[in-house]
Amino acid sequence: MSGPLAGIRILEIGHMLAGPYSGLLLADLGADVIKIEPREGDIARKVSPNFIGPHNEYFASLNRNKRSVVIDLASKEGQAQFHALARSARALITNLRPSAIKKLGLTYEGLRSVNPGLVCVALTGFGIDSPYADRPAYDYVIQAMTGVMQLTGEPDSPPTKTGYSAVDNSAGIMGALGLVAKLVEGKGGQVDVAMYDVMLSQLNYIAAGWLNSGARPRRYAQSAHPYVVPAQVFPTGEGWLTLFITHDDFWRKFSLECGRPQWLADERFATMEARRANREAVVAAIAEVLQTSDARDWTARLAPLGVVAAEVSTLENALASEQVRARRMVVDIPAGDATMRAIGNPLKIAGYAETLQPPPLLGEHNELVTEIGPS
């Protein structure tokens, strides 16, 4: 592999999403990511009902560019094999329960004598040591416990999760960031990433409102922003339009394009502060106007003016867009007799053309450990 992380070996011990996604980002940048799996393999190899050749679709989406070895970490021989790999590695990513991480000796304290320069990244629900450390933690649970579910959805709907695995993906990104930060520092050590902490950090300005002003967060209809008006989705003559107007200059352009110059003189509408104070009146007036045309037409008219407006798309339309083609965000990866289509890497680095390899078969690279015996 070539790339900014070429020559850096990273071990990955995890399952499903957070750890594998972290490893995927690093592997795409050229790191030699060795996925250490139990005999039955990562459970993600069985999650989806769909397969691409021999590869489960779910697993394949998270594990390209990696190598796979099977090691029984609970055995003496397995520990010897793992330690041999750890001596040649720069980092280790784990996403297991803290009790399992400690029991298997996968912390920096447990591996310092094996490789003092090793960076050990633990992705857990609540941190390696905390009051909730050994509670079971999945994306759904963290969204529930951090208030994300309570903040999501229409005002009268039940608590709602995000439409994708926001917690696992965010934790994977933070794990990769912490790992690279330690590599730049040039020292081994422990990086402790709790999914709970990650989601709280992403509530930044919402949490700040409560912590400093006592502003209790609430849901607004049609995904509206708590401070900016208009900033939400609107029904149109056909389809839904996302509209986000902050500066008064953009409000002027929007008002004129809508054929409503009177809005510029209306004290309720004229400034950002006034629009926030008169949310219901502003939203009602805009909703009436937007019904006169469809979402695609409004996007075509408003976007060239610099007004932030976009038709709400389906996933299939988004993946077929010219933007996706130009940015190479859907890629084809040969996988035996099949071709795997996948989302590309979002990091575009000048001078680096990534090479994408299919996900590994279970134990495909066991030759890395077969010659290592028990200590």
Side-chain angles (χ1 to χ4, degrees):
M1 291 287 289
S2 61
L5 298 180
I8 294 177
R9 174 170 286 182
I10 297 171
L11 308 181
E12 177 195 302
I13 302 174
H15 56 91
M16 293 294 284
L17 211 165
Y21 183 56
S22 191
L24 170 73
L25 296 173
L26 299 163
D28 277 359
L29 295 176
D32 176 21
V33 177
I34 300 175
K35 187 176 182 71
I36 298 172
E37 301 185 68
R39 288 191 181 93
E40 64 274 16
D42 181 345
I43 192 175
R45 291 184 180 273
K46 305 173 184 177
V47 168
S48 172
N50 303 316
F51 282 78
I52 307 161
H55 304 290
N56 186 272
E57 201 169 58
Y58 185 106
F59 179 87
S61 72
L62 292 158
N63 288 284
R64 64 177 178 238
N65 286 341
K66 301 178 186 178
R67 299 196 279 176
S68 169
V69 298
V70 172
I71 296 178
D72 178 8
L73 292 171
S75 71
K76 184 178 180 181
E77 179 183 13
Q79 282 287 308
Q81 293 171 335
F82 168 64
H83 287 172
L85 284 176
R87 290 187 190 99
S88 67
R90 294 286 300 280
L92 166 68
I93 300 170
T94 60
N95 75 297
L96 306 172
R97 283 199 192 186
S99 56
I101 291 173
K102 293 174 183 177
K103 182 179 179 179
L104 296 172
L106 303 179
T107 63
Y108 180 70
E109 288 304 311
L111 293 167
R112 186 205 302 259
S113 62
V114 175
N115 180 353
L118 191 68
V119 176
C120 295
V121 179
L123 295 169
T124 65
F126 305 100
I128 296 175
D129 292 297
S130 77
Y132 298 168
D134 279 314
R135 286 192 183 188
Y138 285 90
D139 190 290
Y140 281 65
V141 171
I142 301 299
Q143 289 198 38
M145 294 181 67
T146 55
V148 172
M149 279 191 181
Q150 191 61 41
L151 288 168
T152 307
E154 290 297 300
D156 297 327
S157 72
T160 305
K161 71 174 289 292
T162 60
Y164 77 109
S165 299
V167 177
D168 284 329
N169 283 286
S170 298
I173 294 169
M174 294 300 286
L177 175 62
L179 187 154
V180 171
K182 287 294 291 180
L183 290 181
V184 171
E185 183 186 37
K187 298 179 182 179
Q190 186 70 52
V191 178
D192 182 1
V193 179
M195 294 191 293
Y196 189 91
D197 300 349
V198 169
M199 293 316 291
L200 287 180
S201 77
Q202 293 186 4
L203 295 177
N204 36 59
Y205 72 86
I206 296 174
W210 168 252
L211 292 171
N212 297 284
S213 305
R216 187 181 298 277
R218 66 183 182 90
R219 304 182 201 174
Y220 291 85
Q222 297 177 348
S223 301
H225 194 282
Y227 303 143
V228 180
V229 180
Q232 63 179 68
V233 295
F234 288 91
T236 68
E238 182 178 344
W240 290 82
L241 183 78
T242 299
L243 188 65
F244 195 104
I245 298 177
T246 51
H247 302 301
D248 294 336
D249 184 52
F250 291 125
W251 175 254
R252 180 183 64 80
K253 293 178 180 180
F254 173 70
S255 300
L256 295 177
E257 182 63 29
C258 288
R260 297 296 189 275
Q262 63 269 29
W263 286 352
L264 302 178
D266 191 322
E267 292 183 355
R268 301 171 302 163
F269 297 0
T271 66
M272 184 177 181
E273 293 79 7
R275 291 191 294 276
R276 182 170 61 239
N278 295 279
R279 177 188 295 269
E280 291 185 6
V282 173
V283 168
I286 293 173
E288 181 180 359
V289 170
L290 292 181
Q291 287 292 331
T292 62
S293 191
D294 62 36
R296 184 168 301 180
D297 176 65
W298 283 115
T299 301
R301 290 168 58 182
L302 295 172
L305 301 177
V307 176
V308 179
E311 181 183 9
V312 176
S313 179
T314 62
L315 174 63
E316 52 267 35
N317 286 341
L319 294 178
S321 71
E322 61 179 353
Q323 176 71 12
V324 163
R325 290 192 297 273
R327 295 288 293 174
R328 198 170 175 257
M329 283 306 296
V330 170
V331 295
D332 292 337
I333 305 173
D337 295 332
T339 298
M340 185 180 86
R341 305 193 73 210
I343 298 299
N345 193 300
L347 295 174
K348 311 300 182 185
I349 299 175
Y352 171 49
E354 61 190 13
T355 301
L356 301 178
Q357 299 296 326
L361 298 171
L362 178 61
E364 183 177 348
H365 305 94
N366 276 358
E367 71 275 4
L368 292 169
V369 298
T370 52
E371 296 181 0
I372 304 170
S375 58

